[in-house]
């Protein structure tokens, strides 16, 4: 069976009432990505040649969250059960394909498991994914005959006391040739406790037709957990984080405590990266060899070069930091902060849309916005680029080897020449010449006879 004949149908029409949320269930975020996004990722990793999402509740919102033109959408309205849901997708399923049913609210399923299930059809069987549940209540039970062959799935609400003791349960995921699935769905009846068209009834139909029914086991209950409420969402988040942090460690990162790192995107690491506790990664993060991330670092869509140390409590967003640099503690790098090799950014420094050149330093209490700063520049404590005049942003350009004293206000547009020195406390606009000291400072004056105010009685 080739990859190209897989046709994936994802059921996502359920209301998800138990989420108690304005957001449709399948859009609830897991590691910052909608539940349905995880299922779609698994589908795309399988290289299925077509994927159809059955939607209903919150339809437009769900569709607009996924813009891939390769996706097909089938509206299920009203929602008359899982069998009825798959039926809505069948017009978009190629007749000669293997149809694979996934659930939009079962996001942790691994592509390898779906692959095992699809392969087990051998082009002609019906294959279910099942799991041995510690607590099977609420699930459909897998009924086997004395020879161990699957005979039917009985929903909890329709099951006898004897059947309820069965611990092998239906995950809901299944695969079979589309040519068989179509007629079975058309023949479904809603004569059950919930008056719904159960997808699970295709099992009995297959047995009646002499089609072999097989089951493959999921790797764990967690892999196939369905998410119905915020408590289960949090449980799935922990399980996914466990998986992602494990991958990070297998990629070579040393993690101080795997339970205290969150990955909401992808992290690419070189050798011997160290990640301290409470680090949160978001989006695409790339870390070079021997990068050290201190405790409580939040890093989003950023790159950090080899041997750079990001100290505790620093926040990086859409930033780029070179090699051998030092950032923080308590530094904030905002979009387009470009910190070059060997530069140092200290505590309470905010940098936005600015290049800080090789070996330059801004060690304390500074705001640098819309600036181009050369090499080996020293930015004194409390320096501020006044880049915004209330209407427009202006640039600050500082040449190599300049020394900006403490408490300087650089009123942009302003250019500071190479090797210039700006005296502490100056407010400088326009330009300051290269190699000279420029300062702006009122003469101190002492007021004779002045007295401190005293508190009124
Ligand atoms: C279903 C299975 C049950 C299995 C369980 C695993 C049936 C009849 N039962 O039960 O054997 O153990 O899943 O979690 O299939 N959906 C639609 N349209 C509908 C109804 C549901 O799209 O009309 C979607 C839901 O959004 C959800 C999935 O199908 O993604 C499962 O629906 P749900 O109502 O949760 O099924 P269960 O009753 O839990
Ligand atoms: Ca369910």
């Amino acid at each position: 069976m080739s990859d190209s004949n897989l046709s994936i149908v994802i059921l996502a029409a359920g209301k998800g009432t138990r989420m108690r949320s304005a957001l449709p269930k399948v859009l609830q975020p897991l590691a910052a990505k909608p539940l349905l996004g995880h299922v779609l990722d698994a589908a795309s990793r399988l290289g299925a040649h077509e994927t159809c999402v059955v939607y209903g509740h919150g339809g437009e919102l769900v569709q607009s969250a996924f813009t891939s033109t390769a996706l097909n959408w089938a509206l299920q309205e009203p929602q008359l059960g899982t069998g009825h849901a798959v039926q809505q997708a069948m017009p978009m399923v190629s007749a000669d394909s293997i149809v694979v049913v996934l659930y939009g609210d079962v996001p942790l399923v691994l592509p390898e498991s779906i692959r095992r299930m699809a392969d087990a059809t051998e082009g002609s069987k019906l294959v279910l994914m099942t799991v041995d549940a510690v607590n099977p209540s609420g699930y459909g039970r897998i009924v086997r005959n004395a020879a161990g062959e699957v005979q039917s799935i009985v929903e909890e609400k329709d099951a006898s006391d004897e059947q309820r003791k069965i611990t092998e349960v239906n995950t809901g995921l299944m695969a079979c040739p589309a040519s068989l699935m179509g007629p079975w769905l058309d023949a479904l009846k809603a004569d059950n406790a919930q008056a719904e068209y159960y997808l699970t009834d295709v099992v009995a139909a297959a047995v009646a037709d002499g089609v072999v029914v097989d089951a493959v086991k999921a790797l764990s209950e967690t892999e196939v957990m369905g998410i119905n409420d915020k408590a289960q969402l949090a449980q799935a988040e922990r399980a996914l984080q466990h998986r992602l942090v494990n991958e990070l460690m297998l990629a070579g990162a040393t993690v101080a405590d795997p339970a205290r790192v969150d990955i909401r995107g992808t992290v690419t690491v070189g050798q011997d990266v160290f990640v301290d506790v409470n680090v949160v990664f978001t989006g695409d993060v790339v870390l070079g060899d021997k990068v050290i991330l201190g405790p409580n670092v939040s890093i989003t869509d950023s790159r950090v070069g080899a041997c750079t140390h990001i100290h505790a409590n620093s926040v990086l967003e859409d930033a780029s930091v070179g090699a051998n640099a030092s950032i923080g503690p308590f530094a904030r790098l905002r979009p387009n902060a470009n910190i070059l090799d060997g530069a140092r950014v200290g505590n309470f420094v905010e940098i936005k849309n600015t290049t800080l050149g090789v070996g330059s330093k801004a060690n304390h209490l500074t705001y640098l916005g819309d600036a181009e700063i050369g090499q080996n520049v020293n930015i004194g404590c409390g320096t501020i680029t006044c880049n915004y005049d209330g209407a427009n942003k202006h640039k600050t350009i500082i040449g190599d080897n300049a020394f900006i004293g403490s408490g300087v206000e650089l009123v942009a547009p302003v250019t500071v020449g190479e090797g210039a020195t700006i005296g502490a406390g100056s407010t400088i606009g326009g330009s300051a010449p290269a190699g000279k000291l420029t300062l702006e400072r009122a003469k101190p004056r002492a007021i004779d006879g002045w007295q401190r105010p005293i508190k009124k009685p």
Side-chain angles (χ1 to χ4, degrees):
M1 192 198 68
S2 77
D3 297 6
S4 58
N5 74 343
L6 288 189
S7 181
I8 294 191
V9 174
I10 301 173
L11 304 191
K15 265 209 173 63
T17 318
R18 281 174 283 169
M19 280 290 165
R20 299 180 184 278
S21 170
L23 198 63
K25 174 157 86 170
V26 292
L27 294 187
Q28 298 288 333
L30 187 66
K33 185 193 291 181
L35 295 180
L36 180 55
H38 290 272
V39 183
L40 289 171
D41 282 356
S44 81
R45 261 177 251 146
L46 286 164
H49 87 292
E50 54 193 22
T51 300
C52 180
V53 179
V54 181
Y55 72 103
H57 183 74
E60 264 104 79
L61 267 179
V62 175
Q63 270 179 305
S64 60
F66 301 95
T67 49
S68 163
T69 49
L71 276 184
N72 293 319
W73 295 89
L75 177 65
Q76 185 199 19
E77 188 59 65
Q79 286 120 40
L80 303 177
T82 48
H84 179 252
V86 177
Q87 202 174 27
Q88 309 314 302
M90 290 311 283
M92 273 166 277
V93 170
S94 303
D96 59 352
S97 65
I98 297 293
V99 52
V100 172
V101 178
L102 304 178
Y103 283 6
D105 60 356
V106 179
L108 300 180
V109 65
L110 293 164
E112 303 85 85
S113 299
I114 304 171
R115 160 69 50 211
R116 258 194 307 133
M117 176 172 76
D119 286 352
T121 64
E122 295 173 339
S124 63
K125 299 177 188 170
L126 169 62
V127 179
L128 313 172
M129 193 180 297
T130 67
V131 72
D132 295 311
V134 175
N135 172 12
S137 72
Y139 289 105
R141 307 297 205 282
I142 306 297
V143 179
R144 293 177 183 260
N145 64 15
E149 294 155 341
V150 175
Q151 295 299 291
S152 64
I153 300 174
V154 181
E155 290 306 298
E156 164 110 355
K157 287 181 179 142
D158 303 293
S160 65
D161 287 346
E162 211 44 45
Q163 287 168 331
R164 283 184 189 175
K165 287 180 191 149
I166 299 171
T167 54
E168 185 186 6
V169 303
N170 178 32
T171 65
L173 281 52
M174 62 171 72
C176 78
S179 56
L180 297 174
M181 181 63 94
W184 290 337
L185 293 174
D186 292 341
L188 289 180
K189 294 201 171 62
D191 52 357
N192 50 56
Q194 304 184 79
E196 283 184 0
Y197 297 94
Y198 288 171
L199 176 61
T200 45
D201 284 349
V202 301
V203 175
V207 171
D209 284 354
V211 173
V212 178
V213 183
D214 254 341
V216 299
K217 289 260 166 81
L219 296 181
S220 66
E221 271 192 83
T222 308
E223 182 191 5
V224 288
M225 76 176 282
I227 297 176
N228 298 306
D229 56 35
K230 295 279 173 73
Q232 288 168 336
L233 188 64
Q235 212 184 321
E237 179 77 35
R238 285 306 102 206
L240 179 56
Q241 289 305 334
H242 181 77
R243 194 191 273 178
L244 295 173
V245 174
N246 209 50
E247 284 169 10
L248 183 67
M249 294 187 293
L250 294 181
T254 302
V255 173
D257 181 356
R260 286 186 289 167
V261 171
D262 273 30
I263 300 175
R264 303 171 187 162
T266 54
V267 184
T268 310
V269 289
Q271 273 191 334
D272 298 316
V273 164
F274 178 76
V275 180
D276 215 328
V277 297
N278 298 328
V279 171
V280 178
F281 297 99
T282 308
D284 271 326
V285 174
V286 180
L287 306 175
D289 293 346
K290 297 185 180 168
V291 164
I292 298 174
L293 301 184
N296 308 318
V297 165
S298 166
I299 179 164
T300 303
D301 292 318
S302 295
R303 314 180 144 257
V304 179
C307 302
T308 284
H309 192 159
I310 312 286
H311 294 267
N313 300 299
S314 295
V315 177
L316 282 70
E317 184 192 351
D318 214 349
S320 167
V321 182
N324 299 303
S326 173
I327 307 294
F330 296 99
R332 180 172 183 210
L333 303 185
R334 294 176 56 204
N336 295 317
N338 185 20
I339 312 303
L340 302 187
D341 294 353
R344 306 178 71 86
V345 175
N347 45 199
F348 309 108
V349 174
E350 174 182 347
I351 299 186
K352 189 201 152 195
N353 197 30
T354 286
T355 298
L356 185 64
V358 172
S360 290
K361 297 174 195 162
N363 277 335
H364 336 262
L365 295 158
T366 284
Y367 171 63
L368 300 171
D370 301 304
E372 273 170 38
I373 300 167
Q375 302 188 12
N376 299 315
V377 170
N378 187 83
I379 307 282
C381 173
T383 292
I384 295 169
T385 54
C386 309
N387 59 326
Y388 183 55
D389 60 14
N392 297 298
K393 298 274 177 71
H394 303 280
K395 281 202 93 103
T396 297
I397 296 171
I398 301 176
D400 296 346
N401 303 306
F403 181 97
I404 313 294
S406 295
V408 169
E409 282 154 348
L410 296 159
V411 184
V414 57
T415 303
V416 176
E418 278 187 30
T421 301
I422 307 295
S426 302
T427 299
I428 302 289
S431 64
K436 292 188 180 166
L437 167 67
T438 301
L439 80 168
E440 186 257 6
R441 195 179 292 164
K443 265 212 163 76
R445 52 193 179 120
I447 313 287
D448 287 332
W450 179 82
Q451 283 193 336
R452 278 193 199 170
I454 44 173
K455 216 178 166 77
K456 285 181 184 148

